[in-house]
Structure formats: structure tokens, C-alpha cells
Amino acid sequence: MLSAKHFSMLLFAGLLLSACRSAKVPSPGSVHLALGNPSNAEASIAHPENYLIERPQYALSYNRDRGIPNWVSWQLNAGWLGDLPRLPFSPDNSLPGNWYRATPGDYTGSGYDRGHMTPAADRNRTPEDSQAVFLMTNILPQAPDNNQGPWEKLESYCRKLALQGKELAIIAGGYGTQTTLAGGKIAAPTHTWKVIVILDRPGSGVDGVSSATRVIAVDLPNLNGIKRMRWQKFRVSVDQIEAATGYDLLSNVPEAIQKQLESQVDGQAI
Ligand code: MN
Ligand code: MN
């Protein structure tokens, strides 16, 4: 038998649940969206160009019409790092059934790499983590000299910081369209960008961000010919990435701190 007290508790829980479901910015608890959801992506087929996918390994905004993510956001600390081998790429079968699902073969012979946003080596501790980063929704067409050059060097630098005990909030994506693959279904961006917020204390989340927090933002041309260039050369302000993409990055950071951090260009010699 259900007592009146239990009934009202259940009713309250139900109301809370439905309030969460209808909230505009879902899952405020996602560790990968601790600093914000820069395009207010929603897990709704009513927004195919800004479709939120949340996994234990990352959160992303997928764009059905571009066949690539707009952005992918993830936490990195030493706890994510392992040594499992790479896996084959696979289509993301979680996408709505009538949407085109990019396949690994769509990139074959295109001249572009299957470029991870959340890197394979950031999520190689468990088979589940590895599988998640090899889904094609975490991938965009990346010029080999971008992917294997400065982009990769910056990924490695992030893991080095994680192994030193830092916690990083990273978000990356591409903007612009230089060409398309798969008969127009997949856009190859003109630029790839990344913003990295480096927290001294793991677990501190947005509360760990102050006006002294180091932020690295880069904007790379998605072209060959840059393989030997240093990633440091591509540093810009977060404001510049916001202007290029239209997103509000670091939106969960208090306004005054956000303004200050976003106007600066990292100049630290590493
Ligand atoms: Mn890569
Ligand atoms: Mn912002």
C-alpha cells in the first residue's frame, strides 16, 4: 500500500523528472559541459543542426546537414588515460534512423584524415571509452598536415599536463566549408579550433576557474603545408573563436572572469 506521504514524494520526484526533461539546457550535471553548452544544443530532432549527444566520455553538438560535429567537449585528467590499442571507426547508430550516418568509407580517398575531436589517446582506458571516440560523430575531415602536425602536438601537450596532475576542460570543432565529401553529405571545415581551460585541481569544475586560470585557444587552417609548424603559432583569443563560430564559450564562467579570460592570448612558453 502506498501511504499519502509516499505518494506525494513520488509525485514530487515525477515533477522534478519532467521539469528536467523539458529544461532547455539538459544535463547540467555532465562533467563534459561543466564550462557550458556553447550553442545551447538540445537532444531534440527538432534541431538537427545543433543536436546534443551526451556520452560518459564526452558531449557534442552534431550537425546532420554537415555530417560532422559542430563541437565536442570533454574533460581530461590522468584518470582517463590508459593504453588500449586503437579500434576501427564505426558509424554512430544512435543517430535518428532517417538521418544520414557517416561511414569510415566516406573519407577513403578524399585526401582528408578521419580527424578525432576527442582524441583516441584521451579515451583508451576501457573498451567502452575507446569505442565512443571511434564513432564517426566524433570525427571530421581534417587535412593530414593539420591532424598529424600541430593539432596532434597540442593533443599530446594536453595529456602531458593531465599526467602532471592538471584537469583540462577542452572543446574543439571546425567551422567554414572548403569542400564536401560523400556527395555533399559531409562538410570539410576551412578551420579547426580548440579551447583548453587548465585547472590546477581535479574535480574543481567551474568553481576552479579564476582570472588567473590558463586558457589556450587555437585556430588552425585545415590545410596541408603546416605539418612542421608549432601549435603555439596558431594561438588566438577565445573572443576570436567566438566571433568565428558564433558560440558563447565558457558560458558557465562568471561574466567578469569570462570576459577577462576570453580577451587574452596565451603566451606561455612551454
Ligand atoms: Mn587526430
Ligand atoms: Mn563566452
Side-chain angles (χ1 to χ4, degrees), residues 108-204:
T108 304
S110 70
Y112 290 93
D113 284 355
R114 299 170 190 93
H116 285 88
M117 292 297 97
T118 303
D122 281 16
R123 292 290 185 271
N124 54 4
R125 197 178 49 94
T126 68
E128 293 75 22
D129 287 359
S130 285
Q131 280 156 16
V133 288
F134 280 92
L135 292 173
M136 293 303 291
T137 42
N138 179 48
I139 303 298
L140 55 75
Q142 218 174 346
D145 287 358
N146 168 320
N147 178 38
Q148 301 166 27
W151 191 261
E152 192 283 325
K153 302 284 188 306
L154 180 54
E155 291 175 338
S156 292
Y157 178 60
C158 289
R159 286 189 291 274
K160 183 176 139 189
L161 293 174
L163 288 170
Q164 288 171 359
K166 308 283 190 195
E167 182 163 281
L168 288 68
I170 310 175
I171 184 165
Y175 67 87
T177 304
Q178 56 178 290
T179 187
T180 59
L181 283 53
K185 296 192 191 73
I186 299 172
T190 59
H191 293 77
T192 60
W193 58 271
K194 178 175 280 187
V195 173
I196 304 152
V197 176
I198 302 160
L199 302 166
D200 292 322
R201 270 184 309 117
S204 58

Side-chain angles (χ1 to χ4, degrees), residues 238 242 247-251 258 262:
V238 175
E242 289 188 335
Y247 302 143
D248 182 6
L249 297 157
L250 317 186
S251 59
Q258 191 181 151
E262 290 182 347

